[in-house]
Amino acid sequence: MSSTVLERRETQLFVSQDAWVWITRLLSLLATGLILLFGLLLEVTNPEVTDPMWLRLSLATSLLAFVGGTYVSETLRRWCVEISWSFLYLLLAWATALAGLNGLPGEYALGVLLIYATAGALILLSSRSTKPVWAFLLVGLLTASAPLVPTFSLPVPSAETSPAALALSLFSVAVLEGTAGRWVIRMRNRFLRQDEELKWKNDLLERTQEIANVGAWEYDVASGDAIWTEQAHRITQHPPEADRSPENTFELYHPEDRPRVREALRRALEEGESFDLEARIVSGDEQRWVRARGEPKREAEVQPNESGAQSDGEVRLSKKPRSEEESGGEGVAYVRGTIQDIAARKREERRRKQVISRVTDGILKVDSEWQVTLVNEQAEALYGIAEEEMLGRSLWEVFGQLEGSRFEEVYREAMRSREPATIEERYSGMDEWFDVHMYPSESGGLDFYFRIVTDQKEREEALRRAKSRYQTLIENFPGGVFLFDQDLRYTLASGRELRNVGLSSSAVEGSSPRDIFPDELADELEEYFQRALDGEKNAFEQTMDGCRYFNRTLPVRDESGTVIAGMAVSRDITERRRRKRDLERKNDLFRRAQEIASVGAWEFDFGAQKHRLTDQAYRIHGLPPGVEMTPERSHGLYHPDDRPEAKEAFRRAVEEGKSYDIEARLITEGGEEKWIRSRGEPQREDGEVVRIRGVIQDITEQKRREKALHAAKIDADLARQDMEKALEEAKEANRLKSAFLANISHEIRTPLTSIIGFAELIGEEAGELDLPESPLPGYADIIERGEKRLLETLDGVLNLSKLQSGQMELETRPVDLSEQARHAAEELRGRAKEKGLDLNLETSPAVAEADEGGVQILLRNLLSNAIKYTDEGSVTVRTYREGKTAVLEVEDTGIGMDPEAAEGLFEPFRQASEGFSREYEGTGVGLAVTNEAAEQMDGRVEVETQKGKGSRFSAHLPACEDSTEEA
């Protein structure tokens, strides 16, 4: 019986365990009170009955002890239902015993009947099975009937209750409670199963939602309540305690998607139209794609039927019943739907788009046995194998070189793991680089998408070498220098100005202009970057953060001349612009000073054939500013008596580079005669006069004062004239005697006079003015170029004279041309570097029978000319042996000349360009000296030239006989 009556699994309740503990406590306390109260009443009303008070007290004490024990013992609380059933058995047995001992009086018979019925009802309420109920009713019936046996055999005259009636009543209660209990428990268990099934379904739904990343929601139109599942909160990252109203929910969506979501819900509420859309949810910095679905339900569709379920047969998330007011009308009652996280699907779609974009690549598919099942035309072309030669054959058989390679390792791992993979490797079977992407197919094989990237890898390698080559230059460049690739991304960035604006190389490299600069600047940069990649060189200016930058873009080429990258150079010219403005203000002050001192400045540029005058110079000439002016027009305004002197001074400045300072009369076009002082200074570049700069001053007032002074002294002058004439004749005799020496030293003294005069002038002007672009800083250049020209002219003329007169004897002996070329190249490397030229040396053994000094004359003259006439590119010196001739060769990428003009180059004082229009300075004796020296060493000089491409001069000298064996 214990296993049946007290079995734990039969005591599952409607209420929770804690609630049943409290119910048991209350019933136990009530039973204790009734036991004690009933005993006291019997003592007062019927003292003769047999009802020991100690027994009542014991029973009451046991119940109180049980109640107290449930507060301290977990075991009692866990088994409180079963223990309460034991007390019910005990109460029934006690009541039945008292009724039998007292002859079955009416009150005792009624008590037995009530206890029997009440105890059965309590067990029925606390059990999910009829077994405990029937067990109690049967045991209770037998227990209650035992005391009745004597009454059947020995009738009690005083018995108020018929034993048969009591037995029948007990039996009736048992049948009634048993039958009713069976129906109650069946119905209750049905509800419990439905509740458990609902809980199971809800749990299953939650798990399904979590696995599928789907959440559910419901919006009640009348009440405005919105209910979300936990998964819906997780997907949107919207806190459960936050407001879930539609207006607040709209704010979760991306601003671009918000109008579509709002319109979809409006149409669902107003028109009863379902919706299914994809939109972006924004949470902090995170953005994810979701699929939102909604289905409206009208009032008629959600009215409860007789069973209490919704008429549509579905369970709502909300268990709140709808009031009559809320359920009135025919409009939409609520909208329910789902929200699904489709971020992974979106990523897969992007991946598929990338796959689709590769259709121009080669495609090859294999099954799980590595048999080729598909080959597209691109794959046939790339591999050079026809489709029929590959289909049905093993991949390893078709491409035998794959076995043992890195390709095989990656392919087999992708087949095993069923995960996409990528490899970029050189395939030895074709000696090409391949970029291969592979994806598992539904058939169990692999799909390969590939292309040949050999050219790309070669460009990357060339770019890497270029980066290495330019690294030192870029790091030490005063501005910012950048290398960028075909994708317009920076691959190398450095320079002092880069650090000055707070950027680091690591922050720039790998980025694009759009990642760093504002859109407007980035658009312009990308345009010029693309031009550089197309082979163009460009220069432009940009303004950013209040600073002005001067930028240059140019292509970077490999050894074959192919553009592999681009370079951008940036300089901050903000300070230069400020200095330019300052200079303009100072020039304005200078012009005002010219007006006050009646001094004007002028310049004649031979290259541009422009004669420029300041406003004050125009006024002195009596002409309006801006009128076209030429040296001829200026000389035409001189007084006829003074004009020859002015022209001669200007001619000597142009042709001989001599400064002049003359005073002459000027007759303006208006007929006004003025005395002026005109000074001119030749400006040189590469040893040639390229412009004349000077000043003109109105000294009319000074001359008038001098004339007045002269008139006052005329008498004294007449008295001294005879004596001065005699002195002049003596001086003339002495002058004729020293004329020869004066002529020789004239070329030396005149430049030295210029050096002294301009040194003083530079010192004075530089101390008073800060004029970076004024003529004053150029005076230093005049000193240096005047000195160099003096030495070159003197050396050239003297060497030519000595060679032609036989005063310079060249003694031949073995001379190592390679060693002499190295010495000369090192000596002139600085001059090439100043012009930004590369001076290259390519030597092979070559020993000539020549004079070492004569060889140096050849080398210096040829190298000097090559550097002078080359503005960009390189100059290359070569030595080699050609048969019985040792060759010394100098090649440049300079201006070159017409081949017809080269015929007279070796004549003294001849150049390719002569007169005032020539572009480069020089006397024309260098090549004459070179040719004379080569001929006296039994050699010759040859020239190959092309205008605009460059020239190559070759000196052929007799080779030393012993050099052949040494070589």
Side-chain angles (χ1 to χ4, degrees):
M1 182 179 66
S2 62
S3 62
T4 302
V5 177
L6 300 180
E7 192 170 9
R8 178 69 181 173
R9 61 184 174 87
E10 300 293 350
T11 62
Q12 299 178 20
L13 312 177
F14 250 147
V15 293
S16 65
Q17 184 71 25
D18 288 340
W20 187 252
V21 170
W22 279 104
I23 293 173
T24 302
R25 289 170 180 169
L26 291 175
L27 292 175
S28 298
L29 293 175
L30 178 61
T32 300
L34 291 176
I35 290 172
L36 294 177
L37 181 61
F38 189 67
L40 292 176
L41 290 175
L42 286 177
E43 287 288 337
V44 174
T45 58
N46 194 1
E48 293 84 7
V49 298
T50 303
D51 190 359
M53 182 56 69
W54 63 268
L55 188 58
R56 289 179 178 273
L57 291 175
S58 299
L59 190 57
T61 301
S62 299
L63 287 173
L64 291 175
F66 168 67
V67 172
T70 60
Y71 285 98
V72 297
S73 173
E74 177 67 26
T75 302
L76 289 178
R77 287 194 296 273
R78 186 182 303 114
W79 292 91
C80 66
V81 175
E82 289 79 357
I83 295 174
S84 66
W85 289 355
S86 301
F87 277 110
L88 291 176
Y89 279 96
L90 185 60
L91 284 174
L92 180 60
W94 171 67
T96 302
L98 287 179
L101 292 173
N102 290 284
L104 200 63
E107 62 270 18
Y108 279 95
L110 181 60
V112 170
L113 186 60
L114 289 175
I115 291 175
Y116 183 71
T118 302
L122 290 174
I123 292 176
L124 174 63
L125 293 175
S126 61
S127 174
R128 286 190 59 183
S129 170
T130 57
K131 290 181 181 180
V133 178
W134 284 112
F136 175 79
L137 293 175
L138 179 60
V139 173
L141 183 61
L142 294 175
T143 302
S145 300
L148 300 180
V149 176
T151 62
F152 285 108
S153 58
L154 299 173
V156 181
S158 59
E160 298 181 7
T161 305
S162 170
L166 179 60
L168 183 59
S169 297
L170 291 173
F171 181 76
S172 299
V173 169
V175 173
L176 182 61
E177 283 194 353
T179 304
R182 181 178 181 181
W183 180 84
V184 169
I185 289 177
R186 183 182 295 114
M187 294 301 297
R188 186 177 63 190
N189 287 344
R190 178 184 298 174
F191 292 142
L192 285 174
R193 283 194 299 271
Q194 290 178 351
D195 186 66
E196 290 177 353
E197 184 178 357
L198 179 61
K199 290 181 180 179
W200 177 81
K201 288 182 178 179
N202 286 338
D203 181 67
L204 182 61
L205 178 61
E206 287 291 333
R207 293 178 181 273
T208 303
Q209 290 179 353
E210 185 174 352
I211 294 172
N213 255 343
V214 178
W217 57 272
E218 180 180 284
Y219 173 61
D220 192 310
V221 178
S223 66
D225 293 336
I227 301 174
W228 293 11
T229 63
E230 292 182 7
Q231 187 64 15
H233 283 289
R234 281 194 289 268
I235 291 173
T236 60
Q237 296 187 1
H238 194 54
E241 67 275 5
D243 182 12
R244 295 189 294 269
S245 65
E247 287 301 322
N248 189 59
T249 304
F250 291 148
E251 297 300 320
L252 298 176
Y253 288 89
H254 193 281
E256 296 178 0
D257 301 333
R258 203 173 294 157
R260 291 193 299 113
V261 179
R262 190 187 300 273
E263 176 64 15
L265 183 60
R266 184 196 66 77
R267 298 183 67 177
L269 294 174
E270 296 180 4
E271 304 174 16
E273 185 177 311
S274 301
F275 62 85
D276 185 347
L277 54 85
E278 295 180 357
R280 289 162 291 180
I281 290 284
V282 179
S283 177
D285 295 333
E286 183 181 356
Q287 175 178 303
R288 65 171 65 185
W289 279 92
V290 298
R291 179 185 181 187
R293 303 176 64 185
E295 182 180 354
K297 290 293 180 180
R298 298 185 180 275
E299 293 292 346
E301 298 176 321
V302 299
Q303 297 304 318
N305 55 27
E306 294 179 357
S307 64
Q310 302 295 337
S311 60
D312 60 0
E314 298 183 10
V315 179
R316 293 181 56 202
L317 295 179
S318 173
K319 298 181 174 60
K320 177 181 176 181
R322 296 175 59 80
S323 66
E324 294 182 0
E325 293 79 2
E326 293 175 339
S327 59
E330 295 298 328
V332 173
Y334 66 89
V335 181
R336 65 171 167 222
T338 60
I339 184 168
Q340 181 181 8
D341 186 344
I342 59 172
R345 197 192 79 192
K346 284 292 184 180
R347 288 194 296 270
E348 179 64 17
E349 289 178 357
R350 288 195 296 271
R351 185 191 71 80
R352 289 184 180 275
K353 288 182 180 179
Q354 293 175 355
V355 172
I356 294 173
S357 68
R358 294 175 178 271
V359 295
T360 56
D361 296 345
I363 301 176
L364 185 146
K365 296 185 178 183
V366 300
D367 60 19
S368 58
E369 300 299 324
W370 299 101
Q371 301 298 313
V372 179
T373 60
L374 183 144
V375 179
N376 73 344
E377 295 179 358
Q378 287 78 8
E380 290 182 87
L382 291 175
Y383 285 131
I385 305 175
E387 179 183 10
E388 55 269 22
E389 296 180 21
M390 291 186 275
L391 291 178
R393 297 176 61 192
S394 169
L395 180 72
W396 316 113
E397 179 183 356
V398 177
F399 306 102
Q401 297 296 327
L402 290 177
E403 293 187 271
S405 68
R406 174 67 177 160
F407 288 98
E408 181 185 12
E409 179 182 349
V410 175
Y411 291 177
R412 292 191 182 278
E413 177 60 22
M415 181 73 82
R416 184 194 64 77
S417 65
R418 310 305 299 162
E419 293 290 336
T422 301
I423 180 174
E424 189 176 88
E425 192 76 24
R426 181 181 288 276
Y427 174 50
S428 59
M430 297 177 60
D431 196 27
E432 297 279 2
W433 279 87
F434 278 77
D435 179 22
V436 184
H437 294 254
M438 63 215 75
Y439 305 93
S441 62
E442 295 179 357
S443 63
L446 291 177
D447 297 345
F448 297 88
Y449 300 82
F450 59 90
R451 57 194 175 97
I452 295 177
V453 294
T454 305
D455 292 342
Q456 176 183 333
K457 298 297 291 186
E458 290 176 354
R459 286 196 301 271
E460 291 175 356
E461 178 61 22
L463 181 58
R464 185 192 64 77
R465 293 195 299 268
K467 286 175 59 177
S468 176
R469 184 166 64 248
Y470 291 113
Q471 184 74 46
T472 303
L473 169 65
I474 290 177
E475 289 178 352
N476 296 280
F477 192 78
V481 183
F482 310 87
L483 284 179
F484 51 89
D485 59 17
Q486 300 288 339
D487 296 328
L488 305 185
R489 292 192 173 275
Y490 297 110
T491 58
L492 187 62
S494 189
R496 290 198 291 271
E497 283 187 4
L498 186 69
R499 296 185 289 271
N500 293 341
V501 297
L503 291 175
S504 63
S505 298
S506 59
V508 175
E509 293 172 3
S511 305
S512 68
R514 200 166 297 279
D515 298 331
I516 302 174
F517 303 105
D519 290 343
E520 183 177 354
L521 294 180
D523 289 341
E524 188 176 14
L525 285 173
E526 288 181 349
E527 177 184 353
Y528 282 103
F529 283 10
Q530 190 60 56
R531 291 184 183 180
L533 295 174
D534 293 338
E536 293 184 18
K537 296 180 181 180
N538 287 285
F540 57 101
E541 294 184 8
Q542 289 183 314
T543 301
M544 187 180 72
D545 297 335
C547 295
R548 191 68 175 173
Y549 293 88
F550 178 77
N551 304 321
R552 286 187 182 273
T553 55
L554 61 155
V556 176
R557 304 177 186 271
D558 60 13
E559 293 80 2
S560 65
T562 303
V563 176
I564 60 172
M567 176 182 287
V569 180
S570 180
R571 291 292 303 272
D572 187 346
I573 60 173
T574 308
E575 182 63 22
R576 184 190 302 174
R577 286 292 186 88
R578 185 192 63 78
R579 291 196 301 267
K580 182 179 180 181
R581 290 193 296 270
D582 291 343
L583 178 60
E584 290 173 352
R585 289 194 293 269
K586 292 176 180 179
N587 285 339
D588 182 66
L589 293 175
F590 182 66
R591 285 192 294 269
R592 294 180 182 275
Q594 286 182 339
E595 294 175 3
I596 295 173
S598 195
V599 176
W602 58 270
E603 178 188 88
F604 180 70
D605 190 321
F606 293 108
Q609 286 294 299
K610 291 289 185 181
H611 198 177
R612 302 180 181 90
L613 288 77
T614 64
D615 291 351
Q616 186 63 22
Y618 273 113
R619 295 189 189 98
I620 293 174
H621 282 84
L623 298 171
V627 173
E628 184 177 357
M629 195 67 169
T630 63
E632 291 77 11
R633 183 175 183 180
S634 176
H635 293 151
L637 296 176
Y638 280 81
H639 191 282
D641 296 340
D642 301 333
R643 192 175 301 152
E645 181 184 4
K647 287 185 175 182
E648 178 62 14
F650 188 81
R651 185 195 65 77
R652 296 186 62 166
V654 172
E655 297 181 2
E656 302 176 16
K658 293 183 178 181
S659 304
Y660 66 88
D661 186 350
I662 64 171
E663 293 179 356
R665 287 162 293 179
L666 192 71
I667 302 175
T668 67
E669 291 184 349
E672 181 184 3
E673 182 175 318
K674 298 180 180 180
W675 274 94
I676 55 100
R677 180 185 182 189
S678 179
R679 301 174 64 187
E681 297 291 340
Q683 306 290 307
R684 295 177 180 275
E685 287 183 5
D686 299 328
E688 289 191 359
V689 176
V690 295
R691 68 184 65 88
I692 304 293
R693 285 177 177 169
V695 296
I696 183 171
Q697 182 180 13
D698 186 346
I699 59 172
T700 304
E701 290 298 324
Q702 177 183 337
K703 280 298 182 180
R704 288 173 182 169
R705 291 193 297 269
E706 290 178 357
K707 186 176 181 179
L709 181 61
H710 178 72
K713 296 181 179 180
I714 192 169
D715 294 336
D717 292 337
L718 291 173
R720 291 194 298 271
Q721 283 182 358
D722 293 339
M723 183 178 63
E724 289 177 352
K725 184 177 181 180
L727 182 60
E728 186 65 23
E729 291 176 352
K731 289 181 178 179
E732 179 65 14
N734 187 56
R735 186 186 67 78
L736 292 174
K737 184 180 67 174
S738 59
F740 177 75
L741 294 177
N743 286 333
I744 293 179
S745 61
H746 183 72
E747 286 290 339
I748 299 176
R749 251 192 327 273
T750 300
L752 291 179
T753 302
S754 298
I755 293 172
I756 297 171
F758 281 107
E760 293 175 354
L761 184 57
I762 290 172
E764 294 173 2
E765 294 287 343
E768 295 175 2
L769 299 174
D770 181 17
L771 302 174
E773 294 187 7
S774 76
L776 298 182
Y779 292 156
D781 292 335
I782 293 174
I783 296 172
E784 182 178 355
R785 288 195 292 268
E787 182 181 8
K788 289 182 178 179
R789 181 186 177 282
L790 172 64
L791 294 176
E792 291 173 355
T793 302
L794 184 61
D795 289 343
V797 173
L798 290 178
N799 285 338
L800 182 61
S801 177
K802 289 179 181 180
L803 287 170
Q804 291 179 342
S805 64
Q807 295 180 11
M808 180 184 292
E809 296 182 0
L810 301 181
E811 299 179 357
T812 59
R813 61 183 183 82
V815 177
D816 188 344
L817 297 185
S818 300
E819 181 180 357
Q820 296 299 319
R822 281 193 293 271
H823 291 328
E826 290 302 321
E827 181 180 343
L828 297 176
R829 191 176 298 278
R831 189 183 302 178
K833 187 175 182 181
E834 288 177 0
K835 296 190 66 177
L837 303 176
D838 293 332
L839 182 53
N840 304 319
L841 193 63
E842 300 176 3
T843 61
S844 59
V847 180
E849 283 287 347
D851 181 81
E852 185 173 324
V855 171
Q856 281 300 312
I857 290 175
L858 294 177
L859 280 167
R860 289 193 182 93
N861 285 336
L862 293 179
L863 268 176
S864 297
N865 277 355
I867 294 172
K868 179 194 300 184
Y869 295 107
T870 302
D871 294 327
E872 62 178 13
S874 63
V875 175
T876 303
V877 183
R878 300 185 184 91
T879 62
Y880 57 90
R881 177 161 178 155
E882 190 176 73
K884 296 183 178 182
T885 303
V887 182
L888 176 65
E889 185 176 280
V890 176
E891 182 177 1
D892 63 65
T893 60
I895 61 173
M897 67 191 82
D898 292 328
E900 295 78 7
E903 297 178 358
L905 282 179
F906 300 109
E907 298 179 15
F909 307 107
R910 289 291 302 274
Q911 289 185 302
S913 60
E914 298 180 336
F916 289 167
S917 62
R918 63 182 181 178
E919 300 179 4
Y920 296 89
E921 64 179 15
T923 60
V925 297
L927 290 179
V929 172
T930 301
N931 188 57
E932 186 69 29
E935 289 180 352
Q936 292 199 16
M937 291 186 290
D938 296 330
R940 69 184 187 280
V941 179
E942 297 176 352
V943 59
E944 297 178 20
T945 182
Q946 186 176 356
K947 191 169 184 178
K949 296 297 182 65
S951 303
R952 179 169 62 225
F953 287 84
S954 304
H956 298 261
L957 300 174
C960 183
E961 294 298 333
D962 297 336
S963 64
T964 303
E965 297 177 0
E966 293 174 3

